[in-house]
Amino acid sequence: MKNVTRLCHTKSVITVNGQYPGPPIVAREGDRVLIKLTNHVTNNVTIHWHGIRQIRSGWADGPGYVTQCPIQTGQSYVYNFTIKGQRGTLWWHAHISWLRATVYGPIFIYPKKHASYPFPKPQQEVPILLGEWWNADTEAVINQAMQSGGMPNVSDAYTINGLPGLLYNCSANDTFKLRVTPGKTYMLRIINAALNDELFFAIANHTVTVVEADAVYVKPFQTNVVLISPGQTTNVLFTAKSEPAPNATFLISARPYATGTGTFDNSTTAGILEYYSNLRADNSFSSFPLMRPTLPAFNDTSFAANFSQKLRSLATPKFPANVPQNVDKQFLFTVGLGLNPCPQGQTCQGPNGTKFAASINNISFILPTTALLQAHFYRKSKGVYNFTFPDNPPFPFNYTGTPPNNTATVNDTRVKVIPYNSTVQLVLQDTSIVTVESHPLHLHGFNFFIVGQGVGNYNATTDPSNFNLVDPAERNTVGVTSGGWVALRFRADNP
């Protein structure tokens, strides 16, 4: 535990090695990584290495009660994995309850020795971790929401590298500063470590070139604004303006992309970009006018659609896009909210006194008390999980139209078994129950190709003819289109 003060509020937070955000993990492609985690707090803890493929090292993946039982107070666990065929920016975070509000940090994977980037080498690399800060204890926030069935209280600020920035009250000194030399090129390794918000990111008066997403190189493209979902990473290059340095200071800022009808933290985190040539003899910077970037409206779904269309795999002989052309298994999963009745004798804060539930194909997942992988490994699945997760929505309806009368979920622990090495097509369909919303989803142990996306209901007859099977983006996390769908393909090659 460590005392951290932001926005004039001091609280004791869980950290790794006393650092908030946590320390970077730095490795090369092909390295074996050993990380000993010792738990000195009263909470159960696990850590997930987000985006690491974990080829045949599932025990090291980290989601609590899925691949491991949590690490209890006073206990240790060694995460042991090899980074195979990956290079770029990923990140790590706690994977139990809401501990990742403060327990997170970057993973930098450099190319093998003597291998180079497929773009000009930047002069400097800068991590940009976008996070969320609550003045309250985040465990109390989520526990209250689970109890009441209402929406969790929204955060008090967004942060850049743990700092809310100068646009918040009592935060001027907690502002991230990036100092640059005119004409030099910088790579920002941007990570969205916020819990609940997709974010727009921009630097005033500077264009950036996107070169990588989720540790996969992309065809470079220029943009003024980057959209990044929780769990995603994006590497961008930008070149500082040449001499004479501009007589201005530039805001680096991020604010939410929010498509649902619920309340959200509608604030902006900001850092400062300063030019070294404006440094004065006393080591202070000349006070120049502050330029602010123009960010899209919080619900700009067309920007989101256009931005994701621009992300394309390199698809070169050296960095191929091995998109499955044929599919062995097809799934349609609805993603969205349900409303469950309030237990007797309780007061609930969901719509009309109900409880909110999140569900996929109307199944709201119940965390088991034995880790799924452990139960599977010892062939003791009985009473832990069952195999009845549906391939398609059990009760088809007009998913993005008028919701059905019964919006209750089935609460259960169900898994889907896939034959080894089969090719999978998974269509994720948003629903309008309570509200349409962009839902970020992350697949553990695999990257997937985003072969298609659209608004409205997925049409299995007509939509596949528009799929991109040549150079689609390859990612580990996707924002499911608000009021629409995304189609993913991957090979189940990692037991």
Side-chain angles (χ1 to χ4, degrees), residues 266-284:
N266 193 11
S267 66
T268 305
T269 180
I272 287 178
L273 176 71
E274 297 175 314
Y275 278 74
Y276 273 120
S277 27
N278 295 331
L279 194 61
R280 293 190 294 220
D282 65 355
N283 228 9
S284 70

